Amino acid sequence: MMLEAYAERYRRDLVDAVIPFWLRHALDHEHGGYFTCLDRDGTVYDSRKYMWLQGRAVWMFARLYRELEPRDEWLAAARLGVDFIRRYGRDAEGRIFFSLTREGQPFFFQRKPYAAVFVQMGLFEYGLATGDPACLDEAVALFWRIVAWIEQPTLLGRPVLPGQVAVSQLADRLVVGMMALELARQFDDPRYDEVLRTTVDGVLRHYDATHRVFREVVAHDGRDLTALPEGRLFSPGHTIETVWILLHMLARNPDAQAQQVAFAALAGALELGWDAQYDGLFYFMDLAGRPTLQLEATMKLWWPHAEAIYALVLAYTLTREAHWLTWLERVDRYTYTHFVDPVHGEWFGYCDRRGDLALTSKGGNYKGFFHVPRALLFSLQAIDRDKG
C-alpha cells in the first residue's frame, strides 16, 4: 500500500468508526464529562470519571474541531468535558484528582502529575479552539505548576525516602515536552523554547546506544541502575512514542544528531520489541532478558501499535526510506487484524501474546478517546503535508 491508501483507511476509521463510537457512548449529558469504561458495544461498566482521560478527550475533541473539521458536535463534546473539569477536577490546593464519581465527588488522588498534564493539554486546546482566554490562562498556570511537581514530587505528597535514587522518568520528560511545544507555538516567550531544549537533552539521556532504545528510568547522577528491574525496563511503544514527540520538538529546534538518534531508536524499538513468533509489539521487556515485574509484559496493547503507525508515517515522509513503509505495512496489518472492531467501531485494547482478545472493553481507566484518534489524525496530517 502507498501512503494515499493508508490515508483513506485511517480517515474512514477515524471519522466513520472511532469518533462516532465515543460520541454515542462516552458523553454524560446528565452530569457532564465522559464515561471511559465502555464494553465492546459501548455499555458503561464503571461510571467513574478518570481525570487524565477527561483531559485527553477534551484535547482530542477540540483538536479535531480545530484541525480536521469545525463540527459543532465536536466542540460541544469538548465543552462538556471542560465544564466538568473546571467544576470538579481540583482539590483545595489546585491539584488534580485521579478519579471522581459520576456526579463529580472526589474518589481517588494519585501522587503523580499525569492527570494534571492532560487536563492542562485539554484546557489549552479548548482555549485555542474557542478563543477562551480564561482557559488559556488556566492552562499556562497549570503548566508551570506541573513542571514544579515533576521536579519536586514532595509537592504532590510523595515522600523522598533514604533508600531511593533520584531518577529521571522518560514519561516526565515527554509530557513536559508535549505541553511546552504547544505553548511555544502560541506565545513569544523564550522560556518555552528553553524548556524544550532542556527536554530534548533529558530525553537523550535515556537513550541506550547499545540496544538503540530509550530506557524508562535513568539516574540523575548517571549511576548504573541495571541491578534494578526498572533500570533495565524497555517499553517498545513508549520508545516509539518518544521518537515522534522528539521529532516534533526537533522540527522547532533542529538538531541533526538528535534526529539521527530518533530514527535509530525507532528502528531499534521495532526490531527488539517485535514478537518474532506471534507478531505484534510486546508491552514491556527487560533489556538483560530477565523477568519483568510487569505481569502484562508479553501482552499486545492497542496504544503501542497506534503510536507505531504514526511514527512510521512520519519517518517515511521525512526520509523517504522504504524500510519505514515495510514496517508500516507489518504494523498496520497486525493492528487492523487484532484490534479494530468492524462491528461496533473503535479498537479493542488488550490481546494476549498470541494475539487473542484478552478483554472485550473499548475503554477503561487507562484507555480513552486519545491514542487511536490522535495517531489516525496525525497520520492523515503527515500524509497531507507530504502531498504538498
Side-chain angles (χ1 to χ4, degrees):
M1 290 172 60
M2 300 303 292
L3 282 184
E4 292 76 12
Y6 288 111
E8 181 179 349
R9 182 208 288 276
Y10 299 154
R11 186 178 301 275
R12 185 171 60 249
D13 192 15
L14 176 63
V15 176
D16 297 341
V18 174
I19 298 172
F21 180 88
W22 291 94
L23 285 174
R24 282 195 302 269
H25 304 298
L27 310 188
D28 184 353
H29 293 288
E30 182 177 356
H31 295 287
Y34 316 106
F35 302 114
T36 60
C37 293
L38 305 175
D39 206 346
R40 180 182 184 184
D41 62 357
T43 301
V44 177
Y45 64 87
D46 177 0
S47 64
R48 282 173 292 187
K49 309 288 175 59
Y50 296 90
M51 290 304 298
W52 71 325
L53 298 183
Q54 304 296 302
R56 286 180 170 199
V58 169
W59 182 90
M60 196 70 247
F61 280 121
R63 177 61 66 95
L64 288 166
Y65 174 85
R66 196 164 67 88
E67 295 193 354
L68 185 63
E69 186 179 339
R71 296 193 187 186
D72 290 341
E73 63 178 338
W74 295 350
L75 190 61
R79 185 179 304 115
L80 191 70
V82 166
D83 290 346
F84 185 83
I85 288 169
R86 283 174 142 176
R87 185 174 301 170
Y88 303 117
R90 299 175 176 87
D91 69 7
E93 299 177 36
R95 301 174 301 181
I96 307 299
F97 295 110
F98 181 76
S99 60
L100 307 173
T101 66
R102 179 186 178 186
E103 298 78 14
Q105 292 297 307
F107 189 88
F108 184 70
F109 178 75
Q110 187 182 54
R111 291 174 174 81
K112 295 181 180 181
Y114 306 123
V117 166
F118 293 102
V119 164
Q120 190 277 343
M121 290 176 59
L123 290 173
F124 192 70
E125 189 64 29
Y126 182 79
L128 294 178
T130 61
D132 182 343
C135 254
L136 296 176
D137 290 344
E138 285 180 49
V140 169
L142 185 53
F143 168 77
W144 290 112
R145 293 201 72 182
I146 292 167
V147 170
W149 289 337
I150 288 174
E151 296 306 316
Q152 302 178 63
T154 55
L155 296 175
L156 288 175
R158 291 169 60 189
V160 177
L161 303 176
Q164 293 176 333
V165 178
V167 298
S168 169
Q169 301 277 353
L170 183 59
D172 291 346
R173 307 281 76 78
L174 295 184
V175 295
V176 169
M178 285 193 300
M179 292 184 293
L181 184 58
E182 297 300 323
L183 292 164
R185 288 169 172 166
Q186 300 299 325
F187 299 122
D188 184 19
D189 185 333
R191 292 181 300 166
Y192 298 125
D193 278 308
E194 180 57 33
V195 170
L196 284 173
R197 284 187 286 269
T198 301
T199 299
V200 170
D201 290 342
V203 168
L204 293 178
R205 284 198 291 273
H206 284 257
Y207 183 62
D208 179 330
T210 300
H211 295 92
R212 293 183 302 147
V213 301
F214 292 103
R215 291 179 181 265
E216 290 297 305
V217 177
V218 297
H220 277 307
D221 62 9
R223 77 178 69 178
D224 185 356
L225 295 181
T226 56
L228 300 173
E230 53 266 41
R232 303 188 302 268
L233 188 63
F234 157 55
S235 168
H238 208 198
T239 282
I240 291 167
E241 185 181 21
T242 298
V243 166
W244 71 253
I245 294 172
L246 181 57
L247 290 171
H248 281 206
M249 291 190 288
L250 295 174
R252 182 171 178 86
N253 297 303
D255 181 327
Q257 185 175 359
Q259 186 180 65
Q260 289 307 306
V261 169
F263 290 132
L266 179 56
L270 291 165
E271 292 165 11
L272 184 59
W274 192 260
D275 186 344
Q277 184 173 0
Y278 296 109
D279 288 335
L281 290 162
F282 289 116
Y283 192 25
F284 290 111
M285 301 180 73
D286 185 291
L287 289 173
R290 297 170 185 163
T292 64
L293 297 180
Q294 292 78 12
L295 302 182
E296 69 276 26
T298 61
M299 290 181 70
K300 312 294 169 60
L301 272 64
W302 87 102
W303 71 264
H305 297 80
E307 299 301 324
I309 284 174
Y310 173 56
L312 288 163
V313 168
L314 181 62
Y316 179 71
T317 60
L318 291 175
T319 67
R320 316 306 299 182
E321 294 175 2
H323 65 103
W324 300 129
L325 273 185
T326 301
W327 267 111
L328 178 60
E329 179 182 4
R330 184 181 297 179
V331 173
D332 176 277
R333 182 171 60 248
Y334 184 89
T335 299
Y336 277 82
T337 299
H338 292 85
F339 294 111
V340 176
D341 182 2
V343 177
H344 297 286
E346 239 292 328
W347 295 16
F348 297 109
Y350 304 90
C351 293
D352 63 19
R353 182 182 176 187
R354 294 175 180 268
D356 295 326
L357 199 62
L359 297 170
T360 59
S361 57
K362 296 291 181 53
N365 57 345
Y366 284 88
K367 184 181 187 295
F369 184 56
F370 185 65
H371 281 285
V372 172
R374 182 179 69 170
L376 297 175
L377 174 65
F378 282 9
S379 295
L380 290 173
Q381 293 174 323
I383 295 170
D384 286 343
R385 290 194 302 269
D386 187 62
K387 292 190 295 187

